[in-house]
Amino acid sequence: MFETQNKNVIRRLAKADLRSKKMGNLFILITLTLAACLLMVMGLFPGTVKVDMQRKLEKAQDVMYMAVNQEQIDALKKDSRLSFLTLGERMEIDDYMIWHVYFDGTADEIQTNGTPAEGKLPEKEDEVLVSENFMKKLGKEARVGEKITVPRLSGKKEVYTVSGFYPEVKNTDLFSIVHSKKYAEAGGLKDTPYDVLAKVEGASDMTQPEFLQVIRVVAQDAGISRSQVNENNNFLFTLPEGKMTAESVGIGIIGFVILAAGVMVIYSIFYISISGKTREYGQLRTLGMTKKQVKKLVKCQGRILAMQAIPAGLVLGGLISWLIKPNGFSIVNTLAAAVITAAVILLTVLVSVMKPAKMAASISPMEAARYSAYQGDTGKKETKKLQRKITPLSLARMNSVRNRKKTFMTMLSLGIGGILFLAAVTFAVSMDAD
């Protein structure tokens, strides 16, 4: 017929058919939306965790060089590859530890407890900056000007005047005692081996092997042994590994399995939907629609459903990712994941409807006229049994065997859905929060 040559007619027919089957199409939309949401969350989650950790570590050291002397510190100062701060000695007292520190160096970007929340920085030789919790440990009143007596590793006890308090650090038994420059220069920390907190220039753009190579070469140039180099593992794990690892292979396999399951589920849904509309496609063929146009009609329906479901799935997946790690949300990562997810789901739908579209196009007008959904496509019109017990269970069994392929696709969809649900629950309850 002439009108079917108009390319817009196919799309209008597809939309009209979808409107006439609102309930069935609703389930297809929900399936596609959940598939897009799942892939979006899976794609964003690893990056969200890394971004969250990177932001938490913006003010933390990349590496610590432990127990270095003044000569090694002077060598580090000449190295343009890093900026750093020096710390002092640590010692244990009862159920907590104290850390005598003096911050010296060029790393303004490293956050320390050297900024007072109350009072002022220590200036005189006997002034110190401490925390209010440390004052409670000593049984002292937390006020500026209070005198405290603190031991040193040498066994000597020294008396200091509290010049101020730095912001509290929650859930810690390590208390810093921040000294003045005068104290350090007067010899208070002269023979103390320092710990150096350092940030490496351009470290966030390196791979893990490159970062480890740089910090070890820096240590070697400064005469620091390998055993004194303590990289920040939290920062290290935010960097790309630079090669294929078992973890990345595992994530790839899981993604492939989920994608394959999505293809099977979507294929099953479209197969079941099309097998129930055999008569309708036969009527269209009777009116003059060609096999190519029938295929185009089915594919157009798939695209329309995909374009309706994908935006909802992307928004839902982005929202879930944001709720999981609000601090790890990244516009760039989200947009990249959205584009990839939309392309994957659309491609999945197009691949999934190819077989059902071919099946719909192969239906002749005569075959459609004879087709009965109750009879199915088994070709068995009568049974050899003269008597059969009629119960709801027996009727259900008889109906299921009349179209074995449709029954198989239904069971396959349910089975894959159950497997994905159990796998998701197992993954959730097996995760270690640390």
Side-chain angles (χ1 to χ4, degrees):
M1 56 185 179
F2 175 78
E3 192 178 6
T4 57
Q5 304 304 314
N6 187 335
K7 62 181 181 180
N8 293 324
V9 169
I10 300 295
R11 186 171 182 82
R12 288 201 294 269
L13 285 174
K15 288 183 176 180
D17 186 50
L18 291 175
R19 285 195 296 269
S20 67
K21 305 288 192 303
K22 291 184 179 181
M23 183 59 70
N25 293 325
L26 177 62
F27 288 112
I28 297 176
L29 287 171
I30 291 174
T31 301
L32 293 176
T33 300
L34 293 178
C37 175
L38 179 61
L39 288 178
M40 186 75 171
V41 173
M42 278 196 61
L44 280 177
F45 184 73
T48 299
V49 172
K50 284 193 174 184
V51 170
D52 178 61
M53 184 59 69
Q54 286 171 347
R55 289 174 177 170
K56 287 179 179 178
L57 297 174
E58 282 179 352
K59 297 296 184 179
Q61 76 277 7
D62 300 337
V63 59
M64 179 185 289
Y65 296 107
M66 306 179 69
V68 297
N69 55 41
Q70 189 59 52
E71 182 181 349
Q72 293 167 332
I73 292 174
D74 293 337
L76 291 175
K77 285 181 179 180
K78 298 175 183 178
D79 199 313
S80 61
R81 289 170 290 187
L82 77 163
S83 55
F84 68 91
L85 290 173
T86 59
L87 303 174
E89 69 177 21
R90 280 178 287 184
M91 64 178 295
E92 186 173 355
I93 302 176
D94 298 330
D95 60 340
Y96 65 95
M97 294 184 68
I98 59 174
W99 199 345
H100 290 274
V101 301
Y102 164 60
F103 297 117
D104 179 31
T106 58
D108 294 333
E109 66 270 30
I110 297 179
Q111 185 177 17
T112 65
N113 46 18
T115 303
E118 180 184 347
K120 63 182 181 66
L121 286 170
E123 298 175 354
K124 298 179 181 179
E125 188 175 335
D126 68 332
E127 288 183 335
V128 292
L129 195 68
V130 295
S131 70
E132 293 185 1
N133 279 341
F134 180 63
M135 298 295 287
K136 293 178 183 177
K137 283 283 185 182
L138 298 178
K140 295 280 188 177
E141 184 181 352
R143 64 182 180 87
V144 175
E146 185 75 16
K147 299 286 185 179
I148 58 174
T149 303
V150 183
R152 296 291 303 275
L153 280 175
S154 61
K156 179 183 176 182
K157 291 187 178 181
E158 296 183 348
V159 179
Y160 307 117
T161 302
V162 177
S163 66
F165 301 97
Y166 56 77
E168 294 294 344
V169 180
K170 296 180 180 179
N171 303 322
T172 182
D173 292 323
L174 176 61
F175 302 100
S176 297
I177 301 173
V178 184
H179 293 275
S180 65
K181 184 178 181 179
K182 286 185 178 180
Y183 179 83
E185 291 177 344
L189 297 172
K190 181 179 179 181
D191 298 324
T192 300
Y194 282 89
D195 290 338
V196 173
L197 305 180
K199 291 191 80 70
V200 179
E201 184 71 24
S204 58
D205 298 324
M206 298 178 183
T207 62
Q208 291 186 17
E210 290 172 345
F211 173 72
L212 293 173
Q213 177 70 14
V214 169
I215 62 175
R216 290 167 186 173
V217 170
V218 168
Q220 185 178 357
D221 294 345
I224 300 172
S225 68
R226 171 68 184 86
S227 61
Q228 293 173 269
V229 181
N230 183 11
E231 62 271 9
N232 186 342
N233 286 327
N234 286 329
F235 172 76
L236 181 67
F237 294 149
T238 65
L239 302 178
E241 297 182 56
K243 61 179 181 179
M244 191 68 71
T245 62
E247 182 180 359
S248 58
V249 171
I251 292 175
I253 291 174
I254 292 172
F256 176 77
V257 170
I258 290 177
L259 185 59
V263 170
M264 292 303 300
V265 170
I266 295 169
Y267 169 78
S268 301
I269 290 172
F270 276 99
Y271 178 88
I272 295 168
S273 174
I274 288 170
S275 65
K277 296 190 291 185
T278 301
R279 284 184 179 274
E280 295 177 24
Y281 292 124
Q283 290 168 356
L284 292 173
R285 292 293 309 282
T286 303
L287 294 173
M289 184 174 281
T290 65
K291 290 184 178 182
K292 183 178 180 181
Q293 290 170 331
V294 173
K295 284 184 181 180
K296 189 175 180 181
L297 174 65
V298 176
K299 292 178 181 179
C300 184
Q301 289 177 333
R303 286 196 299 270
I304 292 173
L305 290 171
M307 297 309 295
Q308 291 177 351
I310 287 173
L314 297 180
V315 172
L316 183 60
L319 179 62
I320 291 173
S321 298
W322 177 79
L323 291 174
I324 293 173
K325 286 284 183 183
N327 193 48
F329 184 79
S330 168
I331 293 293
V332 175
N333 290 350
T334 302
L335 291 177
V339 171
I340 294 172
T341 301
V344 168
I345 293 297
L346 186 58
L347 181 63
T348 300
V349 171
L350 293 178
V351 171
S352 300
V353 300
M354 286 177 64
K355 178 66 175 176
K358 185 177 179 181
M359 182 184 72
S362 65
I363 299 171
S364 66
M366 293 299 296
E367 180 184 355
R370 295 196 310 266
Y371 182 84
S372 168
Y374 179 75
Q375 174 184 310
D377 57 5
T378 61
K380 297 181 179 180
K381 297 183 180 180
E382 55 185 38
T383 177
K384 293 181 180 180
K385 294 182 179 180
L386 298 178
Q387 292 181 338
R388 285 183 293 184
K389 186 178 180 180
I390 303 301
T391 65
L393 181 60
S394 65
L395 288 173
R397 188 181 296 111
M398 284 187 287
N399 188 57
S400 65
V401 299
R402 285 190 172 94
N403 192 331
R404 296 180 184 275
K405 187 176 288 187
K406 183 177 179 180
T407 301
F408 173 76
M409 289 300 174
T410 304
M411 295 180 67
L412 181 64
S413 299
L414 293 173
I416 291 175
I419 290 171
L420 290 177
F421 176 77
L422 289 176
V425 171
T426 302
F427 177 78
V429 299
S430 302
M431 278 194 66
D432 187 334
D434 293 335

